[in-house]
């Protein structure tokens, strides 16, 4: 990687590499669409299928639970059994389940399909990200690729809110139709331009005990975090859930330390850059999910705005990522990944401070849009930088694991931050009850900075 301050290196790719990057980016675009479109479609689905509010929430919860629970296993599968193969198989399952959702008339079947779809996404996401890191060499090329990759993630979420709201107004089933052609294009591109997986030196063997304890522990952890606000943080169910999840993950660690061919090499966690990148990702996403939740409560619940109107408020944030993403590689090459990351993390603090100025009537020009712009700057700079930091220096045969770790940190951190914010604002039916939630996301933003600041002064790796 070029040293900070050096002139940016021009990166020119042939058409094949651009198509490959579009394939990887299409995967993350689908993930963003899935999370945002279903959120704005819930009322219509609930009404047509006669679901209770608690049951309807599992249309989102089932996907998030499976996605967070299977990510680490999905990343390791990509390393062991071939990234292209895992991507193609999992994307085929994803497309089929989208088609199933179009015709489903039973609430239970729809929820189960969402769970399996989340499982499929847990295999496609780390496979795509590790394919990116092994296709584009560390340095200017990978930095540029990650910048473009994250543009698609931002577009998926931002457009999903707006497009999902419009499609749901016509027919909620249209929100299940839209991912199908995108998934088919991703599949076609993967089969056409991605080279076959290289043969492995020996036969890949799955550490079954490690896989079972890891998936069970992660599923229980994500489930406990996402239900803690409703069940109560001190309830026996929550305490028992965390305890059992901890025991399962401890059993996983013991198995990995003793088995001949571990599912995950625990030594990868000794890399300080990787650990701090994952911790920062969890804290950052926790604050970000909390911010979106508070904004939704403020605009939709307290002021009666429609989801598409909230999407327009967040549009400047998405535009910042779209505009900055393709230039992120050059910024990282010139200033170093750590400086770009710190600049992004700093931007979240004033964005969240502005939320303390929420009044009875939404102030679009001096509160909401400035907060959205700052939030977008933070995301534009920090997410790509975290992906670069979290995968740098990792051997090619463990890139799937590193990608799965980073994505898992984002998902679990987001669920945990959302649960803490929800607990802080219960019952959250008045404006003044939202301010403790703002205090929570501010604390998370400051903690994210504190994790990174010592490294920015002491680590030689911070320059790359």
């Amino acid at each position: 990687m070029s040293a900070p301050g050096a002139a940016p290196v021009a990166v020119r790719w042939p058409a094949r590499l651009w198509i490959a990057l579009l394939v990887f980016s299409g995967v993350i675009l689908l993930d963003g669409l899935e999370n945002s479109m279903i959120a704005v479609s819930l009322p219509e689905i609930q009404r047509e299928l006669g679901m209770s509010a608690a049951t309807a929430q599992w249309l989102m919860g089932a996907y998030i639970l499976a996605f967070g629970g299977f990510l680490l296993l999905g990343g390791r599968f990509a390393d062991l059994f071939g990234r292209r193969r895992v991507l193609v198989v999992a994307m085929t399952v994803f497309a089929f389940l989208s088609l199933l959702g179009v015709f489903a008339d039973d609430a239970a079947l729809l929820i189960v399909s969402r769970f399996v779809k989340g499982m499929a996404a847990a295999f496609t996401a780390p496979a795509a990200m590790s394919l990116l890191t092994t296709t584009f060499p560390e340095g200017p090329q990978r930095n540029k690729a990650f910048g473009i990759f994250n543009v698609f993630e931002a577009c998926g979420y931002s457009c999903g809110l707006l497009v999902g709201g419009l499609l749901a107004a016509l027919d909620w089933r249209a929100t299940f139709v839209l991912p199908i052609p995108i998934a088919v294009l991703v599949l076609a591109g993967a089969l056409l331009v991605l080279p076959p997986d290289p043969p492995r030196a020996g036969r890949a063997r799955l550490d079954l005990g490690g896989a079972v304890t890891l998936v069970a522990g992660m599923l229980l952890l994500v489930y406990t975090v996402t239900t803690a606000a409703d069940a109560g943080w001190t309830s026996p169910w929550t305490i028992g859930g965390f305890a059992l999840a901890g025991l399962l993950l401890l059993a996983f660690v013991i198995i990995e330390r003793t088995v001949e061919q571990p599912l995950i090499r625990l030594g990868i966690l000794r890399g300080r850059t990787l650990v701090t990148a994952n911790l920062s990702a969890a804290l950052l996403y926790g604050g970000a999910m909390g911010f979106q939740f508070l904004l939704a409560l403020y605009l939709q619940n307290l002021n009666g705005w429609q989801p598409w109107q909230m999407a327009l408020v967040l549009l400047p944030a998405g535009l910042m990522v779209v505009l900055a993403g393709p230039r992120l590689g050059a910024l990282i090459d010139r200033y170093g990944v750590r400086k770009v990351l710190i600049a992004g993390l700093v931007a979240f603090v004033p964005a969240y401070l502005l939320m303390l100025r929420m009044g009875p009537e939404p102030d679009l020009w001096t509160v909401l849009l400035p907060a959205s712009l700052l939030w977008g700057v933070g995301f534009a700079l920090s997410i790509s930088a975290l992906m670069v930091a979290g995968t740098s220096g990792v051997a090619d045969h463990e890139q799937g694991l590193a990608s799965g770790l980073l994505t898992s940190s984002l998902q679990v951190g987001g669920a945990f931050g959302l649960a803490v914010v929800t607990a802080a604002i219960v019952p959250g039916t008045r404006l003044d009850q939202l301010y403790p939630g703002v205090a929570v996301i501010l604390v998370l933003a400051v903690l994210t900075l504190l994790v990174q600041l010592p490294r920015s002064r002491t680590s030689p790796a911070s320059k790359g």
Side-chain angles (χ1 to χ4, degrees):
M1 185 174 292
S2 56
V9 179
V11 179
R12 297 184 183 277
W13 296 325
R16 192 177 188 87
L17 273 183
W18 276 108
I19 297 172
L21 180 55
L22 289 175
V23 168
F24 311 147
S25 301
V27 172
I28 204 71
L29 174 72
L30 279 171
D31 289 339
L33 286 172
E34 278 298 317
N35 283 315
S36 55
M37 285 200 304
I38 196 70
V40 296
S41 304
L42 279 180
E44 296 297 325
I45 300 173
Q46 179 185 349
R47 181 165 53 252
E48 182 170 328
L49 298 185
M51 305 167 72
S52 67
T55 303
Q57 289 302 317
W58 276 105
L59 288 171
M60 288 188 64
Y63 185 93
I64 294 169
L65 178 63
F67 189 61
F70 283 87
L71 265 168
L72 284 175
L73 185 64
R76 197 59 183 137
F77 256 64
D79 288 335
L80 290 175
F81 300 107
R83 298 179 180 107
R84 179 181 183 267
R85 184 177 299 113
V86 167
L87 177 62
V88 168
V89 171
M91 187 56 69
T92 302
V93 173
F94 187 96
F96 172 76
L97 287 164
S98 294
L99 184 62
L100 179 63
V102 176
F103 299 103
D105 285 318
D106 180 73
L109 176 62
L110 197 57
I111 290 171
V112 170
S113 74
R114 290 282 298 166
F115 182 86
V116 181
K117 199 173 184 179
M119 286 177 57
F123 285 79
T124 60
M129 192 167 159
S130 57
L131 277 164
L132 184 153
T133 56
T134 51
T135 300
F136 298 93
E138 191 171 326
Q141 293 201 49
R142 188 181 297 177
N143 299 344
K144 178 180 177 180
F146 266 133
I148 296 169
F149 184 77
N150 285 311
V151 166
F152 279 78
E153 180 178 24
C155 286
Y157 183 80
S158 312
C159 296
L161 287 173
L162 188 57
V163 175
L166 295 173
L167 291 177
L170 298 173
D171 188 340
W172 63 265
R173 295 181 189 277
T175 61
F176 287 83
V177 173
L178 183 60
I180 297 173
I182 301 174
V184 170
L185 287 173
V186 168
L187 273 172
L191 292 170
L192 287 172
V193 303
L194 300 184
D197 296 308
R200 296 188 61 84
R203 184 179 177 184
R205 290 169 53 188
L206 182 63
D207 166 21
L208 187 60
V212 170
T213 51
L214 174 64
V215 170
M218 289 299 294
L219 281 172
L220 187 55
L221 176 62
V222 175
Y223 176 80
T224 305
V225 167
T226 54
T227 58
D230 290 330
W233 286 91
T234 58
S235 73
W237 288 107
T238 300
I239 294 172
F242 280 125
L244 184 55
L247 288 174
L248 286 166
L249 293 175
L250 177 62
F252 167 72
V253 171
I254 293 171
I255 291 171
E256 298 309 280
R257 290 175 65 90
T258 56
V259 75
E260 184 179 348
Q261 293 188 19
L263 180 69
I264 292 177
R265 185 180 67 84
L266 298 178
I268 195 174
L269 299 177
R270 297 192 188 104
R272 190 175 176 185
T273 300
L274 182 143
V275 171
T276 55
N278 278 269
L279 183 56
S280 292
L283 292 167
L284 184 154
Y285 224 60
M289 292 299 101
F291 170 77
Q292 291 176 73
F293 179 58
L294 290 170
L295 194 62
L297 287 177
Y298 176 59
L299 294 179
Q300 296 181 50
N301 289 25
L302 300 185
N303 287 282
W305 286 31
Q306 296 298 312
W308 65 267
Q309 292 174 299
M310 177 179 155
L312 290 178
V313 170
L314 290 175
L315 186 60
L319 290 175
M320 291 305 301
V321 179
V322 170
L323 293 173
R327 299 169 177 81
L328 251 294
L331 283 175
I332 291 174
D333 296 335
R334 181 166 184 175
Y335 298 106
V337 64
R338 198 64 54 181
K339 288 182 179 178
V340 172
L341 175 57
I342 293 296
L345 297 180
V346 166
F348 287 107
V349 177
Y352 297 157
L353 280 172
L354 280 168
M355 295 296 287
L356 292 172
R357 295 182 55 204
M358 290 185 298
E361 296 294 328
D363 185 338
L364 190 63
W365 300 108
T366 65
V367 175
L368 297 178
L369 290 182
S372 179
L373 283 168
L374 286 165
W375 197 66
V377 169
F379 253 99
L381 297 179
S382 56
I383 290 295
S384 292
L386 280 173
M387 288 184 174
V388 170
T391 56
S392 295
V394 178
D396 277 2
H397 69 277
E398 291 184 322
Q399 282 291 335
L401 172 58
S403 302
L405 279 169
L406 195 58
T407 314
S408 293
S409 296
L410 290 168
Q411 293 299 315
V412 175
F416 184 79
L418 185 57
V420 174
V421 167
T422 303
I425 65 173
V426 169
T429 55
R430 300 194 315 266
L431 177 60
D432 61 295
Q433 293 172 324
L434 299 184
Y435 296 133
V438 178
V440 170
I441 63 177
L442 269 171
V443 168
L444 291 175
V446 172
L447 287 176
T448 312
L449 269 172
L450 291 177
V451 168
Q452 291 294 334
L453 285 176
R455 292 278 294 156
S456 67
R457 294 193 298 267
T458 61
S459 173
S462 68
K463 297 181 180 181

